[in-house]
């Protein structure tokens, strides 16, 4: 394979260990659980979750950073799992939609999405919810306008947008006791 | 509604029964099944729109790590019989185009699959697919209307032969002769892509000669029949499952080649194979709304009564099929115009066969008509709502038959009131908010009621403990069908909602047709209602015959069921529960199959769902920006099965209107016939910041004709007219008449 030769010909910096391009052992902490995987370094975090950890709650809508369906948190920050290599998440905390529920108890944002019907086909929904919870933590949900702006990286083709806003609003107001 | 049950659950704004699975991410979609040993297929698309493959080098791909097979026209097995386009509502095999790729070296459209790589991981399949090298002898291609104008022709029929290309009523010349006002406008519509957020995907698993497909489909039966026909195997050997489908909007309504290719790949490598289309491949693999042009000529009296309507459409189709989305139906029926002529003309181009796209046809047809109506209203100084009311057809103008149900007038009136239409100053450019010009527009919404072509079936089972399972071979892609059918089943059977589970998404269940053209809610509810009431009536009959039952000897028609208890309508003290009856007879459960036969296509009624759309826009005159500030939609869809999910569906349709009006346009690079904006970074869809709050009302009109519950459907009508209302609002704000969609910034500068 052409790219094999190319990556091996890179001069090896003394401090950096070259891993790959064949499968390598990596350890990922996802939803608080540590998992050892054997993956090629080119595997995205999204495919690692979906194809290798059976965590299919994180969705693939475009695989190129344009839809937000793959939104997860890495060390508490929202990131697009399709644009993140799994191997770069070693030593970090990855949280997916599966990590949001406490046992059978839905997260308040999940409950609000359900009650406000902030979804139709449900395919964008895990990404929307991961963004929505992060939004509140980031303090980007003061006004409807702000919610709309900061949620615009998550496309919903079913166009549940007004209901997504009302779900976020409700959780925000309950949090601040309004 | 037949006697014997009351409506307690139907209509209520129940939360989605599949909602918890969706908000937790536990629901599994087609590409989320990974049986042991799963291999991954990747498609290689043609890099030209027309020509022949003169060389194809698969060596590097075959040598790449983990590759199991590379299939091309040289080694891919031939299909058993060539596919024939047939809309999936027919319930038969429903290929999206009369063409199957990789059967020979000829290329008909850009992106047509020319090779398929199967490898042991997703990354390896994708990598190897990029190593396939194809040489083409390129021919000239036609990929836009402008390139093919000189080849335009009028076919006999369009839409797989179902619609005549020309329809007339009255005497169009006389109609124009009688007109005091004439308008003539031509509208151009860019092609559109569906882009559901779940890309189409199929996971194929063979077990001996039996095939299971997990497919992202709007019609599991259509998938089953299409794949069986193309592989030449009995449909009884093919099982299709789809518990969750991530949106369809028409692109999963017909069965496209990738589904069968996944099955072929799995058979070839003797392993389960997952084939998921990439986002770019979604633009070249499952149809699109075709690029089209529509010309409207309108004749009217000075007080705005229509005397003549000529509506011509010119659109681009594929080399294989005479397809045009049916754009001329509602526009011909909405108004009582005596003289009419509608004509479809086609240009055969190098694209795949276009397909259903939300509000198929009517949304472009009504855009053209409703913008022209707005122009007429403005010219003669009649309020646009009044103009619609004045022209509303009280019977189907094509046949003279009464509507099975109407409600249009109430939609206009309630919409106008909710929107505060009367405070609008009709003068364009008369309202401002700082630097923003404010405009208000409205339009008629409408969509035909379609029936499936075969009996629709469902099965109901009641257990002695009072719980029930109701099954139909349908699928849920966001319509709310799973929830609504649970409600229909609970009421028909007379048991509490929480006792009912609705099962779907599996061709082992009784068959219903693909859910397309807003026919889903009506036909599935009809099948479910028929099944559960058959079961209920069976148990009532048993009680009546049973000397040990308090209902012994009563008239079965006098019995109603509520909360699982059969009792006399006029004497609720006399009765017993299902449970008591069943336990007495040592029964664990009871089943019934329901089969509902749709009305004949020539039923003597006009069949349509009407509504009214209102929109307010703000236009920044320096920047040409258009913001939709609010929308009001009022629709008369017959009975509403679930007020919450119905509202969402209508809202989704209306917001699609924003995309159609202002954002969505596929651009063709004519050099190679490629969609230049196939990804979501370039093909603009409405995002949260584009979507205003939306007010929706339903006018529930009883409809005794269409199906037992009088359900006419909502998936499409919510979109029809929305773009026209926005464009009319843009005119009101700026004085600019849109003749081209999407409206772009440069149009307004
Ligand atoms: S899948 Fe990652 S942004 Fe679309
Ligand atoms: S719920 Fe279908 S894409 Fe958002």
């Amino acid at each position: 394979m052409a790219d094999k030769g190319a990556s091996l010909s890179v001069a090896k910096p003394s401090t950096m260990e070259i891993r790959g391009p064949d499968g390598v052992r990596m350890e990922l902490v996802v939803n608080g659980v540590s998992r050892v995987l054997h993956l090629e370094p080119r595997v995205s975090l999204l495919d690692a979750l979906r194809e290798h950890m059976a965590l299919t709650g994180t969705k693939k809508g475009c695989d190129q950073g344009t839809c937000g369906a793959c939104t997860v948190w890495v060390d508490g920050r929202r990131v697009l799992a399709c644009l993140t290599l799994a191997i770069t998440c070693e030593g970090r905390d990855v949280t997916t939609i599966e990590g949001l529920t406490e046992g059978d108890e839905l997260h308040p944002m999940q409950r609000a999405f359900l009650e406000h019907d902030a979804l139709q086909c449900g395919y964008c929904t895990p990404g929307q919810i991961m963004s929505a919870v992060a939004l509140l933590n980031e303090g980007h949900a003061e006004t409807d306008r702000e919610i709309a702006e900061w949620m615009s990286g998550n496309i919903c083709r079913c166009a549940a947008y007004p209901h997504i806003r009302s779900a976020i609003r409700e959780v925000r107001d309950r949090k601040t006791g309004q | 509604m037949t006697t014997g049950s009351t409506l307690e659950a139907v209509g209520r704004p129940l939360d989605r029964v599949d909602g918890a699975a969706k908000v937790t991410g536990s629901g599994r979609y087609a590409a989320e099944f990974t049986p042991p040993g799963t291999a991954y297929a990747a498609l290689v698309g043609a890099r030209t729109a027309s020509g022949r493959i003169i060389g194809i080098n698969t060596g590097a791909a075959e040598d790449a790590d983990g590759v199991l097979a590379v299939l091309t026209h040289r080694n891919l097995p031939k299909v058993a019989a060539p596919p024939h386009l047939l809309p999936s509502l027919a319930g038969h095999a429903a290929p999206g185009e009369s063409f199957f790729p990789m059967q020979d070296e000829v290329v008909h459209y850009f992106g047509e699959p020319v090779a398929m790589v199967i490898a042991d991981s997703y990354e390896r399949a994708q990598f190897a697919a990029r190593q396939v090298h194809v040489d083409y002898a390129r021919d000239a291609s036609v990929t836009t209307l402008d390139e093919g104008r000189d080849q335009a022709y009028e076919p006999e029929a369009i839409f797989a032969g179902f619609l005549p290309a020309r329809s007339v009523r009255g005497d169009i010349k006389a109609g124009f002769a009688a007109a005091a006002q004439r308008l003539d406008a031509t509208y151009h519509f860019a092609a559109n892509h569906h882009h559901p957020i779940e890309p189409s995907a199929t996971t194929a698993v063979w077990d001996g000669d039996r095939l299971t497909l997990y497919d992202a489909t709007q019609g599991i039966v259509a998938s089953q029949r299409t794949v069986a026909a193309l592989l030449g195997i009995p449909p009884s050997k093919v099982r299709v499952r789809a518990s969750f489908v991530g949106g369809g909007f028409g692109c999963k309504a017909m069965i496209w080649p990738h589904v069968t290719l996944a099955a072929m790949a799995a058979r070839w490598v003797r392993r389960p194979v997952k084939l998921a289309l990439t986002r770019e491949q979604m633009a070249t693999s499952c149809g699109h709304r075709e690029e089209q042009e529509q010309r409207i000529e309108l004749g009217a009296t000075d007080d705005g009564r229509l005397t003549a309507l000529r509506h011509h459409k010119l659109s681009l189709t594929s080399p294989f099929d005479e397809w045009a989305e049916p754009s001329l139906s509602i526009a011909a029926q909405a108004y009582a115009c005596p003289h009419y002529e509608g004509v479809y003309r086609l240009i055969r181009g190098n694209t795949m066969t276009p397909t259903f796209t939300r509000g198929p046809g009517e949304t472009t047809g009504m855009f053209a008509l409703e913008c022209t109506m707005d122009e007429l209203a403005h010219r003669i100084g009649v309020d646009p709502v009044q103009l619609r009311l004045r022209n509303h057809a009280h019977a189907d103008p094509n046949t003279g038959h009464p509507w099975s149900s109407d409600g249009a007038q109430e939609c206009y009136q309630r919409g106008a009131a909710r929107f505060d239409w009367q405070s609008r100053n009709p003068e364009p450019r008369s309202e401002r908010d700082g630097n923003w010009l404010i405009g208000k527009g409205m339009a008629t919404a409408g969509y035909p009621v379609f029936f499936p072509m075969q009996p629709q079936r469902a099965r109901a089972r009641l257990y002695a403990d009072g719980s029930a399972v109701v099954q139909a071979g349908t699928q849920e892609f966001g319509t709310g069908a799973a929830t609504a059918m649970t409600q229909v089943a609970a009421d028909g059977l007379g048991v509490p909602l929480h006792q009912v589970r609705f099962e779907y998404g599996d061709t082992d269940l009784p068959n219903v047709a693909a859910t397309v053209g807003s026919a889903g809610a009506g036909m599935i509810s009809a099948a479910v209602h028929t099944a559960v009431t058959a079961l209920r009536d069976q148990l009532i009959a048993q009680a009546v015959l049973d000397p040990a039952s308090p209902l012994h000897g009563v008239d079965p028609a006098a019995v109603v069921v509520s909360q699982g208890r059969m009792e006399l309508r006029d004497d609720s003290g006399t009765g017993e529960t299902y449970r008591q009856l069943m336990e007495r007879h040592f029964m664990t459960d009871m089943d019934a199959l329901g089969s509902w036969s749709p009305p004949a296509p020539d039923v003597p009624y006009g069949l349509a769902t009407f509504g009214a759309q209102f929109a307010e826009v703000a236009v920044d005159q320096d920047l040409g920006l258009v913001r939709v500030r609010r929308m009001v939609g009022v629709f008369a869809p017959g009975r509403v099965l679930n007020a919450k999910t119905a509202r969402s569906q209508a809202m989704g349709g209306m917001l699609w209107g924003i995309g159609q009006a202002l954002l969505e346009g596929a651009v063709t690079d004519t050099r190679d016939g490629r969609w230049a904006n196939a990804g979501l970074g370039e093909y603009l869809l409405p995002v949260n910041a584009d979507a205003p709050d939306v007010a929706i009302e339903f006018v529930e009109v009883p409809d005794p004709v269409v199906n037992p519950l009088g359900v006419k459907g909502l998936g499409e009508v919510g979109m029809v007219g929305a773009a026209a209302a926005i464009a009319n609002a843009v005119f009101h704000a700026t004085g600019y008449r849109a003749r081209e969609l999407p409206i772009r910034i440069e149009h307004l500068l």
Side-chain angles (χ1 to χ4, degrees):
Chain A
M1 274 164 35
D3 67 341
K4 216 183 262 187
S7 57
L8 287 178
S9 71
V10 172
K12 187 177 179 179
S14 52
T15 53
M16 209 192 279
E17 176 204 357
I18 298 271
R19 298 160 75 195
D22 293 332
V24 300
R25 182 185 184 278
M26 57 181 89
E27 197 176 332
L28 297 181
V29 178
V30 180
N31 302 329
V33 179
S34 165
R35 323 185 53 148
V36 175
L37 300 161
H38 200 79
L39 298 177
E40 293 177 346
R42 63 180 164 184
V43 176
S44 70
L45 175 59
L46 179 58
D47 288 316
L49 292 168
R50 287 168 61 82
E51 305 299 333
H52 301 280
M53 295 185 228
L55 291 171
T56 54
T58 307
K59 303 302 182 193
K60 183 188 280 190
C62 67
D63 215 14
Q64 50 190 199
T66 55
C67 77
C70 64
T71 305
V72 298
W73 305 335
V74 175
D75 288 342
R77 277 188 65 222
R78 44 174 167 160
V79 304
L80 298 174
C82 69
L83 294 187
T84 307
L85 293 175
I87 198 167
T88 64
C89 296
E90 284 184 307
R92 300 177 185 276
D93 264 322
V94 177
T95 308
T96 70
I97 188 77
E98 288 91 347
L100 214 58
T101 35
E102 305 258 1
D104 277 347
E105 227 0 66
L106 295 182
H107 184 279
M109 190 64 78
Q110 291 172 314
R111 239 186 358 256
F113 265 60
L114 194 56
E115 283 161 15
H116 289 258
D117 209 33
L119 59 121
Q120 293 180 42
C121 77
Y123 199 78
C124 74
T125 308
Q128 301 279 0
I129 290 175
M130 295 307 280
S131 278
V133 175
L135 205 72
L136 291 186
N137 296 338
E138 292 159 13
H140 286 139
E142 292 289 302
T143 61
D144 260 32
R145 194 140 170 193
E146 206 182 14
I147 295 174
E149 203 58 43
W150 286 84
M151 286 299 291
S152 279
N154 290 83
I155 297 178
C156 177
R157 187 52 156 162
C158 299
Y161 299 125
H163 293 176
I164 291 170
R165 289 196 294 269
S166 56
I168 295 175
R169 217 161 40 218
E170 181 186 315
V171 178
R172 174 198 68 196
D173 294 346
R174 235 191 283 137
K175 256 192 170 169
T176 55
Q178 279 169 16
Chain B
M1 186 96 196
T2 56
T3 55
S5 36
T6 44
L7 291 182
E8 288 170 15
V10 163
R12 273 174 47 196
L14 193 71
D15 288 347
R16 284 173 200 266
V17 294
D18 55 347
K22 287 172 174 173
V23 299
T24 57
S26 63
R28 285 207 286 165
Y29 296 73
E32 297 172 351
F33 293 85
T34 312
T38 294
Y40 295 78
L43 297 178
V44 179
R47 308 294 301 169
T48 183
S50 177
R52 317 174 80 78
I53 297 169
I54 51 173
I56 185 157
N57 185 345
T58 56
E62 277 156 3
D63 290 346
D65 285 347
V67 170
L68 303 170
V70 180
L71 300 174
T72 68
H73 66 279
R74 294 186 189 139
N75 55 349
L76 183 83
K78 299 284 175 265
V79 290
H84 284 295
L85 172 73
L86 183 66
S88 48
L89 197 57
H92 288 255
E97 53 188 356
S98 303
F99 170 72
F100 197 84
M102 292 163 63
Q103 301 290 293
D104 58 31
E105 71 289 349
V106 185
V107 173
H108 305 274
Y109 57 89
F110 189 97
E112 171 190 323
V114 293
M116 174 165 61
V117 176
I118 307 141
D120 62 0
S121 81
Y122 171 75
E123 294 73 21
R124 288 170 158 188
Q126 291 293 327
F127 173 79
R130 288 195 293 274
Q131 314 305 310
V132 175
H133 188 83
V134 188
D135 285 314
Y136 303 96
R138 291 168 197 263
D139 294 333
S141 61
V142 170
T143 51
T144 61
L145 290 182
D146 280 342
E147 284 183 312
R149 247 171 231 286
D150 53 337
Q151 299 156 36
Y153 70 103
E154 184 182 324
E156 281 277 295
I158 57 148
F159 201 68
F162 282 100
L163 273 179
R166 175 176 289 261
S167 49
V168 288
R169 67 175 183 250
D171 176 351
I172 189 80
K173 282 204 186 107
F176 281 117
Q181 299 289 338
R182 277 187 80 148
L183 287 98
D184 182 347
T186 300
Y187 302 87
H188 180 268
F189 301 87
N192 292 146
H193 287 126
H194 314 79
H195 283 314
I197 297 302
E198 180 204 22
S200 295
T202 307
T203 303
V205 187
W206 287 91
D207 178 7
D209 64 350
R210 296 180 54 177
L211 172 65
T212 300
L213 298 170
Y214 300 90
D215 193 26
T217 179
Q218 288 174 245
I220 51 175
V221 177
S223 295
Q224 175 199 39
R225 300 222 154 240
T226 307
V227 172
L230 291 171
L231 295 182
I233 61 176
S236 56
K237 301 275 191 197
V238 182
R239 180 179 183 190
V240 178
R241 308 192 62 180
S243 319
F244 292 86
V245 179
F249 316 114
C251 77
K252 297 169 182 168
M254 302 288 279
I255 311 309
W256 301 95
H258 67 271
V259 185
T260 306
L261 286 172
M264 288 173 155
R267 188 153 68 177
W268 190 276
V269 300
R270 301 179 173 280
R271 290 166 66 160
V273 165
K274 197 185 284 194
L275 171 53
L277 299 181
T278 65
R279 180 49 64 186
E280 263 87 4
Q281 285 171 345
M282 285 300 288
T284 54
S285 310
C286 44
H288 53 272
R289 192 196 304 282
E290 67 270 19
E291 185 198 357
Q292 57 194 279
E293 208 169 77
Q294 294 183 26
R295 181 175 177 191
I296 294 263
E297 291 168 85
L298 209 62
T301 61
D302 280 331
D303 63 352
R305 283 180 208 281
L306 301 190
T307 58
L309 170 59
R310 183 181 278 137
H311 193 172
H312 285 200
K313 164 167 166 166
L314 173 66
S315 63
L316 200 62
T317 186
S318 70
F320 333 112
D321 295 300
E322 293 184 322
W323 174 282
E325 55 167 13
S327 300
L328 311 183
S329 308
I330 284 296
Q333 288 172 294
Y335 302 123
C337 174
H339 307 293
Y340 172 83
E341 174 190 281
V343 176
Y344 292 91
R345 303 179 77 229
L346 294 174
I347 295 168
R348 285 201 187 265
N350 297 98
T351 72
M352 64 186 322
T353 301
T355 199
F356 305 103
T357 308
R358 195 170 199 168
E362 308 305 342
T363 187
T364 54
M366 286 299 276
F367 181 85
L369 178 63
E370 289 302 284
C371 291
T372 315
M373 287 293 279
D374 197 67
E375 217 169 317
L376 174 64
H378 180 67
R379 184 195 286 181
I380 61 177
V382 171
D383 177 76
V385 174
Q386 284 310 318
L387 184 70
R388 268 64 171 200
L389 285 168
R390 206 166 279 179
N391 282 290
H392 174 64
H394 295 280
D396 182 346
N398 286 336
T399 58
H401 294 320
W403 300 115
S404 66
S405 57
D406 184 355
Q409 285 169 295
E410 203 178 334
C411 291
Y412 293 124
Q413 281 151 357
R414 275 171 60 177
R418 179 80 181 252
F419 189 82
D420 189 22
W421 178 259
Q422 55 155 25
S423 72
R424 166 187 182 267
N425 176 347
E427 199 45 40
R429 304 182 72 94
S430 58
E431 219 183 298
R432 278 169 185 278
D433 175 8
N435 199 42
W436 296 91
L437 296 169
I438 306 299
K440 293 166 185 162
M442 61 81 56
T444 297
Y447 195 75
V449 177
F450 291 115
F451 296 132
M453 299 185 186
Q454 301 186 46
Q456 304 293 306
R457 280 146 284 153
R459 184 165 49 220
R461 171 177 295 171
L462 180 73
Y463 289 95
D465 69 353
S467 65
V469 177
V470 178
Q471 302 171 316
T474 186
Q475 50 288 315
E476 163 67 80
F477 46 95
T479 57
T483 312
M485 296 315 139
T486 307
Q487 293 168 271
V488 169
D491 280 354
L493 209 46
V495 298
L497 263 172
H498 66 91
Q499 295 277 50
V500 178
R501 185 161 51 88
F502 180 60
E503 283 184 355
Y504 53 97
D506 187 340
T507 50
D508 279 0
L509 307 180
N511 279 351
V512 289
T515 31
V516 297
S518 289
M523 71 186 179
I524 311 164
S525 69
V528 166
H529 179 77
T530 307
V532 294
T533 51
L535 179 53
R536 178 201 65 198
D537 291 349
Q538 204 169 302
L539 289 161
I540 291 174
Q542 190 175 351
V544 167
L545 287 175
D546 180 0
S549 170
L551 294 170
H552 180 240
V554 307
D555 174 8
V559 179
V560 293
V561 187
S562 170
Q563 300 293 311
R565 186 168 186 275
M566 302 171 280
E567 58 202 27
L568 288 178
R569 183 180 293 108
D570 300 330
D571 170 18
S572 59
T574 302
E576 65 172 335
T577 61
Y578 286 142
R579 180 184 197 139
Q580 286 165 327
L581 173 75
M582 291 170 87
E583 283 180 349
R584 197 162 61 243
H585 289 273
F586 211 64
M587 292 159 65
T588 53
D589 56 79
M590 181 55 82
D591 290 325
L593 185 72
S595 178
W596 170 73
S597 296
D602 59 353
V603 61
Y605 289 95
L607 299 163
T609 304
F610 290 110
Q613 305 267 14
F614 295 80
E616 177 179 318
V617 303
V619 182
D620 183 313
Q621 42 181 347
D622 297 325
L623 300 177
L625 282 177
V626 183
R627 292 278 179 262
V628 180
R629 289 201 165 175
R630 61 193 179 99
M631 299 176 88
V632 171
V634 184
F635 308 99
R639 188 190 299 281
V640 171
L641 295 174
N642 178 317
K644 186 178 268 193
T645 58
R647 183 192 140 77
S648 286
Q649 219 187 4
M651 179 176 82
M654 290 167 69
L655 296 176
W656 266 63
I658 295 182
Q660 187 190 18
L662 302 174
L663 299 168
E664 296 186 39
V667 178
T668 310
D669 183 334
T670 51
R671 290 170 303 177
D672 50 11
R674 179 178 66 95
W675 298 117
N677 54 349
L680 297 181
E682 298 82 30
Y683 184 91
L684 302 182
L685 303 180
V687 297
N688 202 312
D690 294 312
D693 285 341
V694 167
I696 290 162
E697 291 186 19
F698 296 118
V699 174
E700 288 200 66
V701 253
D703 190 319
V705 173
V706 290
N707 47 52
L709 295 177
V711 177
K712 296 204 286 186
L714 259 174
E716 328 289 348
V717 72
M719 181 177 177
V720 180
I726 293 168
N728 291 338
V730 167
F731 170 77
H732 184 230
T734 64
Y736 167 78
R737 276 282 172 215
R739 297 285 192 229
E740 196 183 326
L741 287 188
I743 299 170
R744 297 174 202 270
I745 287 172
E746 54 269 31
H747 295 143
L748 296 169
L749 291 180

